[in-house]
Amino acid sequence: MSVLEMLNDKQLEAATQIEGPVLILAGAGSGKTRVLTNRTAYMIDECGISPWNILAITFTNKAAGEMRERIDRMVGHGSESIWVATFHSTCVRILRRHIDLLGYDNSFTIYDSDDSKALMKETLKRLQIDTKQYSEKGFLNRISNAKNELKTPEDEKKDAFGDFGDELYAKVYGEYQRSLKSNNALDFDDLIMKTVELFTGFPEVLDNYQERFKYIMVDEYQDTNTAQFELIRLLADKYKNICVVGDDDQSIYKFRGANIRNILDFEKVYPDAKVVKLEQNYRSTQNILDAANAVIANNKGRKDKALWTDKGEGEKITFVQVDTAYEEADLIVNSIRKDKRNGESDYRDNAVLYRTNAQSRILEEKFVMAGIPYAVVGGVNFYSRREIKDILAYLKTIDNARDDLAVKRILNVPKRGIGATTVGKINDFSLREDIDFYEGLKRCEEALGRGKASDKILSFVDMIQVFRSKVEYISIEDLVKEILDTIEYEQMLLLEDPDGAKDRIENIEEFMNKVIAFEKQTDEKASLSEFLEEVALVADIDNVDPDADKVMLMTLHSAKGLEFPKVFLSGMEDGLFPGFMSIYGDDPTELEEERRLCYVGITRAMNKLTITASRSRMVRGETQYNNVSRFIKEIPPMLFSGRVELERKPSPTYGVERSYGGGGDYSRYGTASGTGIPARPVATSQNKARAAAAKPFIASAISLQKGASIGGGTPDYKVGDRVKHIKFGEGVVTSLKDGGRDWEVTVDFDTAGTKKMFAGFAKLVKLC
DNA sequence: CACAGGTCTCTTTTT
DNA sequence: GAGACCTGTG
C-alpha cells in the first residue's frame, strides 16, 4: 500500500507535489515533519527518484537527526544516501572538499562566538582601536549582519561613502577576515558565505552539486537569512525542484539575520510555485489555539491562516501574577509536584519557558530545593565552559598548528610561568617574520634569546609535538586522557578552586562520554578534525534527552519545534517579554517579532497552559517593577480559568518542608527585600490600586529603577513646537498623548519622516 | 609573573 | 549578579 495513508488531504497534497517549487505553509503542530518524511518516501518509492539526489536541510542537528530517523524507518534500504543535514554542516562538508579553491586550507577550523570575540579583540588591538569607544561586540554584530547579507569588506567600504565610522568598520572587517584566514579558520557566518562564494566563483563546482541535489527540501524556511536563501537558490537553480516548509508566524530569528521576506515573497521569486497550507493542528486544545490565534492576529502582513483542531476545548488557561520571581518559581514547582503526586503527569511532560536565560537561575534554585529533576537547555553552552574550552584548545592546537588562538589559550594553562610580556614578544616576532604564532614559539630563542622563558616555551612545544606524533595511532579518548594526565589538569582545578572543581571535573567526564560516543558512531578511526567539527556545530537543543524524566527549562527560542503536555510561560511582563527594547526602541517590527515568539510559546502546549508574571524582578542586580505583558491582554478573557487575577494571590501553601520553613514567609527572600523592595503590604495595596485603574494592565506603575528615564513627568514641549532628536534631526510635534506609562509623542521630522515615540526615551530637545 | 581586590558594563534571543 | 577588566602588591 501507499506510504501516504496516514495523511490528511492537505498533507497529501503537499507530500505528492514533487516537481517544481513548492511552498508548504505549515502552522504550528500541523504535522510538517510527517509531511516531509512521507514526501521523501513517496519520491523514492513511487516516483523512482534516487535517494542520492535528495537533500533535506534543517537548522539544528536535533531536527536533522529526527528527520533522518523517521525517513530511515519509512524508506529503509537506500535511505542512508539521502543528505539530511543542517545548513552549517552541509556547508562544512562542501567546503572541506573545495575550499582550497578560495585559498584556505581544507583542514580549516571553525570558530565559535567566543573565538570570534577573542580574535576581534586582538584585531582591534593590532589596529590600535580604542575598545572603549568602539566595542568589539559592535563590530562583530555588524560583520555578522554583513556576512548574512553576503557583503564583503570591499562592499562595505564602498557603501561607507567616506563616512569615518563606516570606513573604520570596513577596515576592521577586512582585517578580521585576514586574521581568520591566517589562522585557517572560519566563523559561523563564513560557513554559509564562503560556500556561496565557492558556488558563484566556480560554476563547475556548483553544477556538480546541482546535479547531485535534484530535489531539495528546506525546513523552518522562515528562519533563513539572505545568505542561506542564496545558497538554496543556487543549488535549486538548475532543476527548480525546491520544497520549502515554514510558518511566517514562527519567524523568531531576525537578530540572527533571518529574513521573513524569504518566505513571504517565495511566490514572487518562484511565480509558478505551488502553495499548500496546513492548518489543522494535531497538538493543542482549542482553548490554547484560540489564545495563540488571538495573539498573533495583532501582527500585520502575515500570510492569512487560522489553526483549528478537532481536539475539543480542553482545560482553560491559568494566569497568575505574583510579587517576586521566587514566588513565581515556587508556584511552578508546586504545580508540577502536585501533578506528579496525583499521577497526572510525569516530570518530562512539563516545560518551563522564559524569555531570557538569566531567568533560569531562580527556577533552578527552587527545583533543586524541591528535589525535582530538571534539565536546563542552553544558557552557557556546554562547549563554552572553561574546562571544556581548555581541552578543546589542546586538541585544536594538536590538530591545526595554524590556530593561533587555541595555542595562546593553553600556552599558560596550567600555569607555566609564561606571561603576557612573553606572549607579546613572541607575537611581535611572529608578525615580523610573517609566521604562525606556534612557529614563533618554536623559534622563541630568536625572539627572546636563551633563558628561562625560552626553556619553558620549548618544553611546551615539545609536549605538543609528542601529542601530535601520537594522533595517528591512538584514539581521541586516549589522547584526551593523556593530555589531562600530562598537564595534571584535574589537580590544577582542585588547587585553583576546591569548591567549583567538582562540577568542572564532572563536565570533563561528560566530555569524555561524548568523545567515546563519537568514536563509537564513526566506523573507521574517527579523525580529530571531524570530532572538533562536530563539537563546533552542536546546538544546545541537540543534547536534550527526551527519555529522561525531567522538567525542561529553556528559552522560548530553544522551545521552537518542541511540544509538551504542560507548558509554563513564565515572566510574562512588559519590559521582559516583550523586551524593553522592542517596546521603546524605534523599530516597530521588533514588537511583532516578540509577539511571534509569544505565539511559539503558547503553541508548544498540548493540554495545559499556565502563564505567570511577577510584579518585581531582579534584573542585572537591580529590582525592576513590571506590569503584566501586553500579550496577555490580547488573549480573550474567557479562555482563562476564572477571573484574570491581578491582585496578589494568596501564597501557595506548602506541605511541611524543611527547606521552606512554612509558607508565605517573605522574610526569607533576603536578596529581594534587602535591596529595597517595598514590604508586602505596600506592594499589595499598590497592586490593588493598579487593578482598580481604568486601564488595568497598562496601569500606572512607574519604574522605580534607579536612573530610569521613563515616566519622568510632563515634557516641556507641546504640539506645534519644533524639537530636535539626536538621530532623526529636527521636526515638529504633531501629537502628544498620555500613553499610561509615559507620554507618547509624534514628531514630523524634516528629513526622517514621521515617528511615534515615548517622550522619556526620545530625549527631544525643544528648540526656541 | 601571579594573584587579590576593586570597578565597570551589561543582556535578549543562537547556528 | 556575573564576568571582564584594571590596578596595586608580593
Side-chain angles (χ1 to χ4, degrees):
Chain A
M1 265 303 284
S2 161
V3 290
L4 302 167
E5 58 193 35
M6 303 284 287
L7 303 181
N8 70 30
D9 287 356
K10 285 288 168 191
Q11 290 176 330
L12 190 72
E13 197 182 336
T16 52
Q17 181 66 39
I18 306 299
E19 305 291 325
V22 183
L23 167 61
I24 304 174
L25 285 169
S30 63
K32 65 169 183 176
T33 311
R34 172 184 288 184
V35 169
L36 282 178
T37 47
N38 277 278
R39 191 174 190 272
T40 309
Y42 179 78
M43 280 196 258
I44 297 167
D45 292 353
E46 310 281 324
C47 308
I49 292 167
S50 165
W52 176 255
N53 289 131
I54 301 172
L55 167 69
I57 292 201
T58 62
F59 272 84
T60 65
N61 294 301
K62 183 165 184 277
E66 277 170 10
M67 197 182 294
R68 160 121 270 154
E69 199 180 300
R70 285 171 73 164
I71 291 177
D72 281 352
R73 237 182 299 152
M74 209 158 196
V75 177
H77 180 68
S79 74
E80 67 282 350
S81 30
I82 304 172
W83 183 310
V84 186
T86 65
F87 269 104
H88 289 88
S89 57
T90 296
C91 289
V92 171
R93 276 163 80 177
I94 294 171
L95 291 173
R96 283 268 180 243
R97 294 187 48 164
H98 310 286
I99 201 172
D100 51 310
L101 294 170
L102 298 176
Y104 286 76
D105 192 305
N106 289 50
S107 66
F108 62 87
T109 40
I110 302 163
Y111 274 3
D112 66 19
S113 15
D114 287 342
D115 300 328
S116 300
K117 204 172 148 203
L119 190 69
M120 177 57 74
K121 204 181 275 177
E122 271 193 359
T123 308
L124 294 181
K125 203 168 170 192
R126 193 150 15 104
L127 293 175
Q128 300 187 319
I129 290 170
D130 178 17
T131 47
K132 291 232 169 59
Q133 209 180 343
Y134 302 92
S135 74
E136 56 221 35
K137 235 179 133 186
F139 284 121
L140 283 171
N141 272 335
R142 276 186 85 169
I143 291 172
S144 176
N145 290 338
K147 289 180 176 177
N148 289 333
E149 293 291 326
L150 295 171
K151 287 197 171 141
T152 62
E154 293 72 42
D155 295 334
E156 296 290 73
K157 174 128 180 41
K158 249 179 259 153
D159 289 352
F161 292 114
D163 179 274
F164 179 76
D166 291 352
E167 294 247 329
L168 184 71
Y169 144 71
K171 189 173 155 198
V172 170
Y173 181 11
E175 193 57 29
Y176 171 78
Q177 281 314 104
R178 264 187 292 282
S179 304
L180 278 171
K181 197 162 182 177
S182 85
N183 285 359
N184 197 29
L186 300 186
D187 67 16
F188 283 138
D189 302 313
D190 278 340
L191 294 177
I192 316 285
M193 181 165 170
K194 291 293 168 196
T195 311
V196 172
E197 271 177 28
L198 176 75
F199 284 163
T200 44
F202 300 88
E204 66 283 4
V205 177
L206 174 61
D207 189 69
N208 177 17
Y209 285 97
Q210 285 175 333
E211 285 298 327
R212 158 118 203 222
F213 301 132
K214 288 188 176 129
Y215 295 87
I216 300 173
M217 288 179 275
V218 186
D219 193 16
E220 306 281 16
Y221 189 68
Q222 75 282 353
D223 289 330
T224 50
N225 60 38
T226 302
Q228 288 160 335
F229 168 84
E230 188 58 16
L231 179 78
I232 294 298
R233 193 193 65 76
L234 286 165
L235 281 173
D237 206 39
K238 193 162 183 180
Y239 292 100
K240 305 268 195 312
N241 296 320
I242 172 172
C243 169
V244 302
V245 188
D247 179 2
D248 50 307
D249 289 335
Q250 293 189 65
S251 168
I252 54 172
Y253 281 107
K254 186 171 156 230
F255 70 92
R256 212 166 69 189
N259 185 352
I260 195 170
R261 303 253 49 108
N262 287 347
I263 192 163
L264 294 177
D265 295 344
F266 187 81
E267 296 152 87
K268 282 188 197 147
V269 180
Y270 298 100
D272 55 336
K274 167 109 179 161
V275 181
V276 185
K277 284 185 197 172
L278 306 179
E279 292 172 300
Q280 181 172 4
N281 173 294
Y282 294 93
R283 179 185 294 153
S284 312
T285 64
Q286 191 66 55
N287 277 337
I288 291 167
L289 284 187
D290 285 349
N293 283 332
V295 168
I296 201 66
N298 292 286
N299 273 7
K300 296 185 175 64
R302 349 168 2 233
K303 294 253 181 193
D304 181 46
K305 65 184 117 47
L307 292 183
W308 60 278
T309 179
D310 54 16
K311 250 186 148 184
E313 264 186 33
E315 257 187 271
K316 297 268 187 190
I317 296 165
T318 302
F319 171 73
V320 191
Q321 188 187 21
V322 293
D323 277 347
T324 69
Y326 294 91
E327 279 180 77
E328 182 185 41
D330 274 336
L331 185 132
I332 291 168
V333 163
N334 285 321
S335 165
I336 291 172
R337 178 162 43 193
K338 197 178 106 222
D339 282 4
K340 171 77 175 177
R341 281 192 185 148
N342 297 343
E344 274 174 43
S345 68
D346 283 330
Y347 292 133
R348 67 162 74 79
D349 296 334
N350 295 278
V352 186
L353 309 183
Y354 37 78
R355 181 66 240 269
T356 64
N357 280 305
Q359 289 167 253
S360 73
R361 214 195 86 245
I362 289 173
L363 288 161
E364 278 190 76
E365 238 171 70
K366 293 290 180 185
F367 275 100
V368 170
M369 275 201 235
I372 295 178
Y374 68 92
V376 180
V377 179
V380 186
N381 185 308
F382 178 77
Y383 291 102
S384 54
R385 295 190 182 158
R386 194 184 58 131
E387 58 277 17
I388 306 299
K389 290 223 87 168
D390 284 344
I391 301 174
L392 286 174
Y394 270 94
L395 294 176
K396 283 180 180 172
T397 303
I398 295 164
D399 186 54
N400 173 13
R402 292 175 58 188
D403 190 348
D404 294 353
L405 226 52
V407 181
K408 282 176 191 162
R409 181 182 179 97
I410 53 165
L411 181 57
N412 202 26
V413 175
K415 304 252 181 309
R416 299 187 176 90
I418 306 171
T421 331
T422 312
V423 171
K425 282 180 190 160
I426 300 286
N427 215 14
D428 293 345
F429 173 72
S430 310
L431 282 173
R432 239 182 0 252
E433 298 282 310
D434 196 25
I435 52 174
D436 297 319
F437 183 76
Y438 187 77
E439 206 52 37
L441 289 180
K442 279 187 176 168
R443 290 166 55 185
C444 61
E445 293 192 329
E446 292 173 48
L448 312 167
R450 290 195 174 195
K452 263 193 183 154
S454 291
D455 290 348
K456 290 179 206 161
I457 290 173
L458 288 175
S459 75
F460 171 80
V461 171
D462 282 346
M463 178 184 68
I464 297 296
Q465 294 300 110
V466 172
F467 289 141
R468 260 188 208 157
S469 67
K470 291 185 178 176
V471 168
E472 290 302 316
Y473 60 91
I474 67 175
S475 68
I476 303 175
E477 182 189 354
D478 290 339
L479 178 64
V480 175
K481 275 189 187 148
E482 204 163 319
I483 294 169
L484 292 173
D485 284 349
T486 310
I487 64 176
E488 301 185 324
Y489 193 69
E490 295 194 359
Q491 290 91 316
M492 177 198 99
L493 290 176
L494 281 163
L495 218 67
E496 223 171 46
D497 170 21
D499 301 330
K502 193 170 154 279
D503 277 356
R504 296 192 189 277
I505 290 171
E506 272 173 21
N507 286 335
I508 294 174
E509 274 159 18
E510 198 178 329
F511 178 75
M512 288 303 296
N513 290 338
K514 286 178 198 286
V515 172
I516 294 165
F518 174 80
E519 295 200 292
K520 225 177 220 166
Q521 126 212 324
T522 33
D523 308 330
E524 310 124 56
K525 186 181 177 322
S527 87
L528 188 52
S529 316
E530 280 168 341
F531 174 71
L532 290 171
E533 171 181 315
E534 172 149 315
V535 160
L537 295 177
V538 293
D540 295 315
I541 197 73
D542 297 339
N543 291 314
V544 308
D545 173 10
D547 297 328
D549 190 21
K550 291 176 176 174
V551 177
M552 302 289 279
L553 273 54
M554 68 185 91
T555 62
L556 289 146
H557 283 88
S558 297
K560 193 167 66 135
L562 306 179
E563 59 180 26
F564 302 90
K566 277 177 67 192
V567 166
F568 294 86
L569 279 185
S570 69
M572 289 293 284
E573 298 141 34
D574 256 30
L576 183 64
F577 187 34
F580 203 67
M581 289 305 285
S582 66
I583 300 175
Y584 299 107
D586 43 31
D587 183 359
T589 66
E590 282 195 24
L591 194 61
E592 297 217 341
E593 174 119 338
E594 295 279 300
R595 191 176 281 111
R596 288 192 290 270
L597 197 52
C598 181
Y599 176 80
V600 167
I602 295 173
T603 52
R604 296 312 95 195
M606 298 162 77
N607 305 324
K608 175 69 193 171
L609 178 65
T610 304
I611 300 175
T612 61
S614 172
R615 294 191 178 84
S616 69
R617 186 178 296 276
M618 284 278 263
V619 179
R620 290 213 301 269
E622 278 180 310
T623 308
Q624 260 184 18
Y625 295 85
N626 294 327
N627 287 317
V628 170
S629 170
R630 60 193 62 200
F631 296 147
I632 307 273
K633 254 202 330 182
E634 296 171 356
I635 301 175
M638 77 235 236
L639 297 177
F640 291 102
S641 58
R643 197 165 65 85
V644 174
E645 216 30 272
L646 269 181
E647 289 166 64
R648 218 188 134 275
K649 278 253 171 184
S651 289
T653 42
Y654 310 107
V656 191
E657 295 267 347
R658 318 151 308 265
S659 42
Y660 286 103
D665 176 10
Y666 277 62
S667 61
R668 83 187 122 87
Y669 301 129
T671 7
S673 53
T675 44
I677 290 193
R680 173 162 48 139
V682 180
T684 310
S685 61
Q686 236 182 23
N687 289 313
K688 274 192 179 141
R690 198 183 305 166
K695 285 181 279 180
F697 286 101
I698 317 187
S700 53
I702 291 168
S703 173
L704 302 178
Q705 198 187 343
K706 184 179 70 186
S709 49
I710 42 173
T714 318
D716 64 346
Y717 40 80
K718 56 187 190 302
V719 175
D721 281 350
R722 267 192 87 71
V723 291
K724 188 171 178 187
H725 183 272
I726 190 155
K727 195 160 133 212
F728 302 132
E730 294 185 20
V732 180
V733 177
T734 56
S735 134
L736 195 58
K737 67 175 185 191
D738 188 349
R741 206 171 166 146
D742 193 358
W743 289 85
E744 207 176 278
V745 53
T746 312
V747 183
D748 191 5
F749 288 104
D750 301 341
T751 49
T754 305
K755 307 258 187 230
K756 198 188 265 186
M757 57 198 97
F758 283 99
F761 276 76
K763 305 240 170 57
L764 295 167
V765 180
K766 187 180 168 185
L767 300 169
C768 302

